[in-house]
Amino acid sequence: MKQAENEMLTRVGRGTPAGELLRRYWHPVLAVGELTQERPIKQITILGEKLVVFRVPLAPGEKEPRYGLVGEHCQHRRASLFWGKLDCEGIRCPYHGWKYDLEGNCLETPPEPKEWAYKNEIKQPAYPVKKLGGLLFAYMGPAPAPELPRWDCLVREDGKRWITKESTLECNWLQPMENSVDPSHLYWLHGESAYLGRGNRQYEEKHEFFHFDWGIMKRRISPAFEPGDPPLVDEHPLLFPSMLRLVTLADRGKKDGRHRHAIQYRVPVDDTHTQVYRVNFVPSPTDRTPEDADVPWEYRPLKDEEGNYYLDIVSAQDAMAWETQGAITDRTLEHLGHGDIGIVMFRRMLREQIEIVQKGGDPFGVIRDPAKNKIIHIEVYNDTIGLPKGAYQPVELQKAS
């Protein structure tokens, strides 16, 4: 790969090719539970922009909280709104009291004359926020915003859902996403700790990749554990542009018929950092989680205080492999092989969708029709953990059949 192409696919700031592509999609910015009554404002960086996300107090008659996402620094003298004051209308700068609503309109400039019309021309950067599945999502692209995709793990109610937020990765977003279409790493990097368990003493996998409605599906075909049995197939996808849909055992090492379905969001913080949120969902005949519930969330560090990776954790093993490539992998030095077909497909897809955005079109997977967004069911299966093809179905699909 030439350096210019590496720059095109990795840089995420406003005005960059990949940055403009990524701004056409909704991205999680926080777990809902991270905003509390005691701490209703948090600083974040996403796609290279420094912002504050906040929950405004309820107005009279309101029952559901509203959320805002605006540029961190006040338009007046650039003080941080992280230290600002909230009311039901919006956020007030702590320095001189300038006040902004959730759309970034300047409502008040207290030190100035009341007839001062200049405030009507002032606009704080602001982005729409939606709550779904225990996460707060933001859209940072041009209006009108598309539909927020209602993936099965986010909106299924027949089970238990929770959020895992991992410590921030010190690498570019493309490194974890290329890993999503690199199935051969499972045997070598995770073989002693993932469900594979090195039951196959030799590496004998075969891999297939194909495009589908929402990204790239990967299929891993492994020899059976017993001679004469059919091969074991694991099929799950990369959801374009920055998600991985997967399924594992509900409890590590315990094959009891329960499975944990998950979506991993790899959110570009800036050019050299990535934040991973994982939405976990375990179907259950007894548990119920409404899609708008404030579900539990947990924080998972991937390193100890001295910077050593917790290499008994699969995601920390991944982090080691991604971060040690460098903050941004120098792809001019790589040597790709047959095992990297999925990566080649993904890079080609990125280039194609960047070109579509540059020509003013909607990129792949953007949803405009609410009728096509009731629930997006992704069929995943994994023979190795006892989830055969067709076994995973939401309740509404089971009733329909």
Side-chain angles (χ1 to χ4, degrees), residues 31 34 162-166 260 276-278 280 295-301:
E34 292 185 75
W162 72 99
I163 307 297
T164 302
K165 181 179 182 178
E166 297 176 346
R260 176 169 59 87
V276 176
Y277 293 91
R278 184 165 61 245
N280 309 283
V295 302
W297 75 281
E298 59 184 358
Y299 175 75
R300 174 172 290 177

Side-chain angles (χ1 to χ4, degrees), residues 68 113 272 310 329 372:
T272 57
Y310 292 118
T329 302
K372 297 180 179 180

Side-chain angles (χ1 to χ4, degrees), residues 172-241:
N172 182 260
W173 78 285
L174 193 55
Q175 281 142 247
M177 283 316 301
E178 289 182 336
N179 187 82
S180 300
V181 279
D182 174 21
S184 62
H185 84 276
L186 179 72
Y187 181 90
W188 304 102
L189 184 61
H190 307 311
E192 298 296 342
S193 52
Y195 60 80
L196 188 64
R198 288 269 167 87
N200 301 327
R201 294 302 177 185
Q202 294 181 336
Y203 179 76
E204 300 178 88
E205 294 182 1
K206 295 180 180 179
H207 304 124
E208 299 173 356
F209 303 89
F210 55 92
H211 293 285
F212 81 120
D213 290 346
W214 304 105
I216 299 175
M217 187 68 74
K218 59 182 179 181
R219 180 182 294 144
R220 178 187 296 107
I221 305 170
S222 306
F225 291 123
E226 299 295 334
D229 287 348
L232 303 171
V233 180
D234 168 12
E235 187 172 296
H236 63 280
L238 176 155
L239 302 177
F240 192 84

Side-chain angles (χ1 to χ4, degrees), residues 4 13 33 121 162 172 177-178 191 258 271 296 361 369 399:
E121 302 177 20
W162 72 99
N172 182 260
M177 283 316 301
E178 289 182 336
R258 298 168 61 248
D271 290 341
D369 184 357
K399 289 179 180 178

Side-chain angles (χ1 to χ4, degrees), residues 107-385:
L107 302 180
E108 297 178 14
T109 54
E112 307 302 327
K114 291 185 177 180
E115 64 275 11
W116 193 51
Y118 183 48
K119 74 176 179 63
N120 298 325
E121 302 177 20
I122 294 170
K123 188 79 171 180
Q124 184 75 0
Y127 302 108
V129 178
K130 290 187 177 182
K131 170 185 168 183
L132 187 65
L135 290 173
L136 295 178
F137 291 86
Y139 174 73
M140 299 173 63
E147 293 287 305
L148 170 59
R150 293 169 54 82
W151 305 110
D152 46 8
C153 290
L154 289 174
V155 301
R156 279 189 66 167
E157 298 190 348
D158 58 322
K160 178 182 178 182
R161 180 167 32 252
W162 72 99
I163 307 297
T164 302
K165 181 179 182 178
E166 297 176 346
S167 53
T168 303
L169 295 168
E170 297 177 11
C171 67
N172 182 260
W173 78 285
L174 193 55
Q175 281 142 247
M177 283 316 301
E178 289 182 336
N179 187 82
S180 300
V181 279
D182 174 21
S184 62
H185 84 276
L186 179 72
Y187 181 90
W188 304 102
L189 184 61
H190 307 311
E192 298 296 342
S193 52
Y195 60 80
L196 188 64
R198 288 269 167 87
N200 301 327
R201 294 302 177 185
Q202 294 181 336
Y203 179 76
E204 300 178 88
E205 294 182 1
K206 295 180 180 179
H207 304 124
E208 299 173 356
F209 303 89
F210 55 92
H211 293 285
F212 81 120
D213 290 346
W214 304 105
I216 299 175
M217 187 68 74
K218 59 182 179 181
R219 180 182 294 144
R220 178 187 296 107
I221 305 170
S222 306
F225 291 123
E226 299 295 334
D229 287 348
L232 303 171
V233 180
D234 168 12
E235 187 172 296
H236 63 280
L238 176 155
L239 302 177
F240 192 84
S242 55
M243 293 162 283
L244 174 68
R245 175 69 167 86
L246 69 159
V247 60
T248 61
L249 296 171
D251 296 306
R252 182 173 168 178
K254 189 175 181 180
K255 293 186 178 182
D256 58 0
R258 298 168 61 248
H259 300 98
R260 176 169 59 87
H261 295 264
I263 289 182
Q264 291 185 13
Y265 290 88
R266 283 76 178 267
V267 183
V269 174
D270 53 28
D271 290 341
T272 57
H273 296 85
T274 305
Q275 182 63 63
V276 176
Y277 293 91
R278 184 165 61 245
V279 182
N280 309 283
F281 183 81
V282 177
S284 166
T286 55
D287 292 321
R288 178 175 170 80
T289 308
E291 65 181 59
D292 59 351
D294 293 348
V295 302
W297 75 281
E298 59 184 358
Y299 175 75
R300 174 172 290 177
L302 302 177
K303 303 176 188 176
D304 64 21
E305 294 180 354
E306 297 179 353
N308 299 307
Y309 295 97
Y310 292 118
L311 290 179
D312 59 334
I313 300 175
V314 168
S315 53
Q317 296 165 2
D318 281 325
M320 177 276 295
W322 304 338
E323 291 183 345
T324 56
Q325 295 175 44
I328 300 177
T329 302
D330 186 351
R331 292 174 177 81
T332 67
L333 302 177
E334 66 185 7
H335 298 80
L336 300 185
H338 291 287
D340 301 309
I341 293 174
I343 292 172
V344 173
M345 288 178 62
F346 180 51
R347 293 178 185 176
R348 183 183 300 120
M349 193 173 184
L350 283 171
R351 291 193 297 267
E352 292 170 349
Q353 299 310 308
I354 284 172
E355 185 175 349
I356 288 172
V357 169
Q358 290 174 335
K359 292 179 179 179
D362 271 343
F364 180 88
V366 167
I367 307 171
R368 296 290 181 185
D369 184 357
K372 297 180 179 180
N373 193 36
K374 293 181 179 179
I375 178 170
I376 305 173
H377 174 66
I378 304 295
E379 184 177 4
V380 294
Y381 65 98
N382 189 333
D383 293 330
T384 309
I385 61 173

Side-chain angles (χ1 to χ4, degrees), residues 55-66 86-90 102:
R55 183 181 71 188
V56 297
L58 295 177
E62 285 186 332
K63 295 182 179 180
E64 296 296 328
R66 292 175 296 126
L86 298 175
D87 63 29
C88 62
E89 292 184 322
L102 304 190

